[in-house]
Amino acid sequence: MLNLIPYPRRVTMGDERTAVRPRVACPAVWADACETLRDFASRIHGVAFRPDKNATVIFTPDEGIRPEGYILEATDGQAVVRASDVLGAQNAVSTLVQLMCSAGDGGVTLPVGRIEDAPECSWRGVMIDLARVWHPLPMLYEYVDMCRFYKVKYLHLHFTDDQSYTLPSRAFPKLSTEGRHYTEEELVGLMAYAKRRGVEIIPEIDVPGHTVSFSQAYGEIFGTDGIICQSEASMLGIEVLFRELCALFADSQYIHVGGDEAAIAKWTECPRCLDAYRARGVDVDGMDKGELAELMYATFVKRTCEAVLSCGKTPVVWEGFREEVNHLIPREAVIMSWENFYQTTPQLRDAGFRLVNCSWSPMYIVHPAAAWSPKEIFDWSVYSWTPVHPGSPYHGTTLTIEPTEQVEGGQLLAWGDHIIREFPDIIDGVRGEQKKVEERTPALSENTWNRQKVSDYDEFAVRSEQVAPLCGKLLNHKA
């Protein structure tokens, strides 16, 4: 097999290689893909590709190819890439830079033959927690490059939590944690770079829980109980924040609204929250407190989702609401199923939600306390969950569902809970976390590009050992 990750579905290439001069041509609308090729080939192989009408690497449109797919044919000193969209061209670039070897004369060699390829999962994601522990901006650019190298489509950035609020806000400027937030200019630059690499950033404001920063900065509006108050003034403020986020991340289709691990029972004891629901005609005094809390929770999620939808974006939500309030959650929302505790994956599936597999085991990284091995991630599939929450009905076992397109893919998630406590030098901690992410992303990529295994782990490990050093050259450390 070729040293490629993820592995293509159809390959007819052998040991024969052809020498290719570093000259490239592509349609103007795919200029970003050519830029990626030139940048990655230079940084990984030390080869300088240049535009040339007499190109030896040629990108050409072909409307008959699936979205994000491509065909690569290499022979007689030439490589031709066909795709129907720029993401397909970008995916072909990732394949090219993994396949090529420096020829020592300023050119490269490529295997002779043909690859026909396209992803089987539309959702291929990596999440980084920026709120619990600060990540320098250049590291976010490195994560973009890593995602492009492994054909990971989404970089989910967890911008807010109890520890800090790392986003800018014009409406609520005191929310931004001093010394630990990114500016508008920095984020616009990051988003533009990610777009040029064919990677979409998914920004997250995590509400209604994980919101200490809200109570510290604007307690009079958002409340001081560790959960966002549901007064009308507070909810209008939340809507403003999400509309700001949608405007800031104009190129992002998906906006994450949080929606998990909230102390929702506090709403049933909050006079402002209760008055707001009385004004909406809800019998807050006659309802069971547990049912009322779940109703209020689902209503909060519904309203934040609607704010995102009103901006032409698609909301993403953690699994955090109960089955009995499913009817309140917009079906346009994508649900990240992670614990099968608040609600099980079969229940979410049967309710008609779009799903992303974010199983705690083996997809979470909590450096240095917890991380599953690359083999365990390779053995996982997008249809399997192994909950660790003792309240899950599947605790101690693995839930596997029948294949369905409702499960759009999966995601690797890195959380910073322990870094700030266990590393005197925070940079050492976030670099260690990055190394764990880098080691596990190949297995995530393999299992979300291909829904079914194309090899056993031993063969995959050989490919990964050969490919990983190339990716390491894109990052600020040695692989």
Side-chain angles (χ1 to χ4, degrees):
M1 299 181 81
L2 298 172
N3 290 323
L4 283 174
I5 292 178
Y7 206 76
R9 298 300 293 185
R10 297 181 182 86
V11 180
T12 54
M13 284 182 171
D15 295 332
E16 182 185 358
R17 300 183 72 89
T18 185
V20 177
R21 304 307 302 164
R23 300 192 295 268
V24 61
C26 67
V29 292
W30 292 358
D32 289 344
C34 282
E35 179 191 340
T36 304
L37 174 63
R38 296 173 66 191
D39 180 38
F40 280 19
S42 174
R43 291 158 65 191
I44 295 173
H45 300 288
V47 174
F49 272 85
R50 60 181 175 83
D52 194 312
K53 63 180 181 180
N54 297 315
T56 53
V57 177
I58 303 166
F59 290 79
T60 185
D62 185 335
E63 294 181 358
I65 295 175
R66 288 170 52 187
E68 296 189 60
Y70 65 92
I71 294 174
L72 167 62
E73 295 179 287
T75 185
D76 296 333
Q78 186 178 76
V80 177
V81 171
R82 289 186 283 140
S84 62
D85 56 23
V86 68
L87 287 180
Q90 291 275 19
N91 289 329
V93 168
S94 298
T95 296
L96 280 166
V97 296
Q98 290 185 29
L99 286 176
M100 67 176 55
C101 294
S102 173
D105 59 356
V108 299
T109 66
L110 290 168
V112 172
R114 173 186 170 99
I115 292 175
E116 186 173 349
D117 200 16
E120 294 184 338
C121 290
S122 59
W123 196 287
R124 311 178 302 281
V126 168
M127 190 218 79
I128 306 297
D129 176 6
L130 306 180
R132 288 180 172 87
V133 61
W134 174 253
H135 288 61
L137 184 68
M139 187 174 287
L140 305 189
Y141 281 79
E142 293 174 6
Y143 275 121
V144 170
D145 285 343
M146 184 199 71
C147 287
R148 165 43 42 217
F149 182 85
Y150 286 119
K151 303 185 178 81
V152 172
K153 189 175 181 181
Y154 299 114
L155 178 60
H156 171 186
L157 298 178
H158 184 82
F159 278 112
T160 74
D161 216 292
D162 288 337
Q163 292 80 358
S164 59
Y165 192 100
T166 66
L167 288 164
S169 173
R170 295 185 181 185
F172 298 98
K174 291 189 295 182
L175 274 176
S176 302
T177 303
E178 185 176 355
R180 291 180 61 179
H181 75 275
Y182 307 98
T183 67
E184 284 189 22
E185 293 76 13
E186 288 172 334
L187 294 176
V188 168
L190 175 67
M191 182 177 58
Y193 182 83
K195 183 180 181 182
R196 292 197 302 272
R197 293 293 177 267
V199 175
E200 180 177 328
I201 291 176
I202 299 176
E204 178 185 0
I205 296 177
D206 194 0
V207 288
H210 300 274
T211 52
V212 168
S213 51
F214 285 78
S215 62
Q216 291 175 338
Y218 295 96
E220 72 281 5
I221 298 175
F222 297 112
T224 57
D225 289 335
I227 187 171
I228 298 296
C229 178
Q230 285 210 54
S231 69
E232 189 60 24
S234 174
M235 293 308 299
L236 287 173
I238 292 296
E239 290 175 344
V240 167
L241 281 170
F242 276 104
R243 291 192 178 105
E244 272 191 339
L245 190 67
C246 291
L248 179 58
F249 288 87
D251 292 322
S252 298
Q253 178 58 40
Y254 293 99
I255 305 291
H256 205 304
V257 303
D260 72 324
E261 297 181 327
I264 61 176
K266 290 184 177 181
W267 282 329
T268 68
E269 302 166 358
C270 169
R272 286 200 293 167
C273 297
L274 294 172
D275 285 346
Y277 274 80
R278 286 191 188 99
R280 299 170 195 165
V282 178
D283 182 13
V284 298
D285 302 300
M287 285 186 67
D288 172 84
K289 294 300 184 184
E291 292 179 1
L292 175 60
E294 293 296 338
L295 170 67
M296 296 171 87
Y297 197 22
T299 302
F300 184 98
V301 173
K302 176 176 183 286
R303 190 156 174 178
T304 54
C305 285
E306 288 175 342
V308 170
L309 289 165
S310 72
C311 296
K313 308 289 189 181
T314 301
V316 185
V317 187
W318 298 111
E319 162 218 331
F321 49 89
R322 300 289 183 181
E323 182 182 21
E324 56 266 30
V325 293
N326 278 347
H327 63 283
L328 293 173
I329 310 300
R331 289 307 186 270
E332 296 94 334
V334 176
I335 311 301
M336 289 188 160
S337 177
W338 62 289
E339 266 293 54
N340 279 263
F341 165 63
Y342 299 96
Q343 187 171 174
T344 69
T345 302
Q347 289 169 329
L348 290 165
R349 174 201 60 199
D350 294 346
F353 288 110
R354 301 166 58 189
L355 301 172
V356 176
N357 187 325
C358 296
S359 176
W360 215 105
S361 169
M363 304 309 290
Y364 273 37
I365 297 169
V366 187
H367 182 65
W372 282 263
S373 69
K375 184 179 187 306
E376 289 169 300
I377 296 173
F378 178 86
D379 290 339
W380 160 91
S381 86
V382 296
Y383 304 118
S384 295
W385 286 257
T386 305
V388 298
H389 197 293
S392 170
Y394 302 105
H395 182 243
T397 186
T398 295
L399 162 68
T400 301
I401 66 171
E402 290 295 318
T404 170
E405 292 295 320
Q406 276 179 253
V407 179
E408 299 190 352
Q411 185 159 292
L412 189 69
L413 307 100
W415 298 99
D417 305 52
H418 287 255
I419 291 176
I420 197 165
R421 299 199 300 265
E422 301 189 34
F423 288 91
D425 186 337
I426 296 301
I427 294 300
D428 288 344
V430 295
R431 281 296 179 194
E433 173 191 73
Q434 184 188 44
K435 187 64 176 174
K436 282 196 165 98
V437 173
E438 184 190 352
E439 290 168 347
R440 287 152 180 79
T441 296
L444 174 278
S445 171
E446 187 86 356
N447 284 336
T448 52
W449 189 267
N450 302 303
R451 289 179 181 263
Q452 303 298 323
K453 301 287 188 291
V454 298
S455 74
D456 61 20
Y457 179 76
D458 288 343
E459 192 283 324
F460 166 80
V462 170
R463 284 189 280 129
S464 185
E465 184 177 356
Q466 297 299 313
V467 171
L470 304 181
C471 182
K473 292 182 179 182
L474 296 174
L475 310 181
N476 193 28
H477 65 89
K478 293 182 179 179

